[in-house]
Amino acid sequence: MRFKITLEIDGDADHKSRLIRQLSDEIEIFLNEKEYGEEIQNYLLGCICIKTKEGYEGWYKTRKPKYTKYKKVVNQLTGEEMEISKTFENDFKIDNKLYEVFIDSSDEVSNKILAKEILNSLSNLDSLPKKVKKFDKEKFRYDFRLFFEDRGLI
């Protein structure tokens, strides 16, 4: 399975982007050889780490979880045609008080916050369409928990 954490991050939190990318890479390596079923081969997890300013609450909302079985898209910048298949996407957001703790803490504490938010975001797998039957959500969640436990993050 392929896994990536995508980032929407503001300037105040930019120094934590390396930490998020590193965790994303480690999770991808961990999941690379694992199989949870044929219907999800790609998992994109959006991390929105932006301090919401009053009056701009609607700008950086988490998107609804989305499953794409197959779709062709054209890159607006390059005109290149791309295929998206067997992909699940969902987001989590670090904001308000959690944002302040995340950006002001050590990497260890920030990683613990990320682990907790990622594990919480896995509840979005429950919104998979009923037609997606060949994906072991429980084993996937269990492996994530093991990944974070082995690193002392939960």
Side-chain angles (χ1 to χ4, degrees):
M1 168 176 273
R2 296 182 64 211
F3 177 89
K4 280 288 179 220
I5 297 176
T6 63
L7 283 173
E8 287 181 54
I9 196 163
D10 66 18
D12 291 338
D14 193 51
H15 65 285
K16 294 292 182 173
S17 62
R18 170 198 51 79
L19 188 74
I20 297 167
R21 283 190 201 98
Q22 182 179 355
L23 184 61
S24 176
D25 292 345
E26 289 174 11
I27 294 170
E28 176 153 42
I29 291 167
F30 176 76
L31 295 175
N32 191 35
E33 299 298 319
K34 299 195 181 300
E35 282 293 324
Y36 300 99
E38 61 191 53
E39 292 186 288
I40 297 179
Q41 297 298 312
N42 303 291
Y43 196 111
L44 297 175
L45 182 58
C47 173
I48 302 169
C49 187
I50 297 174
K51 178 72 170 173
T52 304
K53 293 178 175 49
E54 191 173 326
Y56 296 92
E57 293 84 4
W59 282 31
Y60 300 103
K61 288 185 177 181
T62 57
R63 293 168 288 267
K64 287 182 5 181
K66 178 181 167 187
Y67 173 74
T68 305
K69 185 171 184 172
Y70 180 81
K71 180 179 174 182
K72 280 189 179 182
V73 294
V74 177
N75 184 310
Q76 297 294 324
L77 298 174
T78 64
E80 180 183 357
E81 193 173 272
M82 300 178 295
E83 295 180 354
I84 300 171
S85 67
K86 299 179 180 179
T87 300
F88 185 71
E89 304 170 55
N90 71 287
D91 295 338
F92 69 93
K93 187 173 183 178
I94 298 175
D95 196 7
N96 301 321
K97 291 179 184 174
L98 187 58
Y99 174 90
E100 299 297 334
V101 173
F102 179 74
I103 67 168
D104 291 335
S105 295
S106 67
D107 285 355
E108 181 181 352
V109 171
S110 295
N111 267 328
K112 287 181 179 186
I113 290 170
L114 285 170
K116 181 177 179 243
E117 294 303 310
I118 290 169
L119 286 174
N120 288 341
S121 77
L122 297 181
S123 66
N124 287 310
L125 286 166
D126 294 334
S127 70
L128 278 168
K130 292 190 187 312
K131 64 183 178 183
V132 178
K133 296 181 190 297
K134 295 181 181 173
F135 183 75
D136 191 344
K137 296 184 282 192
E138 296 312 312
K139 184 175 184 236
F140 186 72
R141 289 178 179 136
Y142 178 76
D143 282 350
F144 260 88
R145 183 165 286 287
L146 281 180
F147 174 84
F148 291 128
E149 284 176 356
D150 287 348
R151 284 155 181 79
L153 299 176
I154 57 170

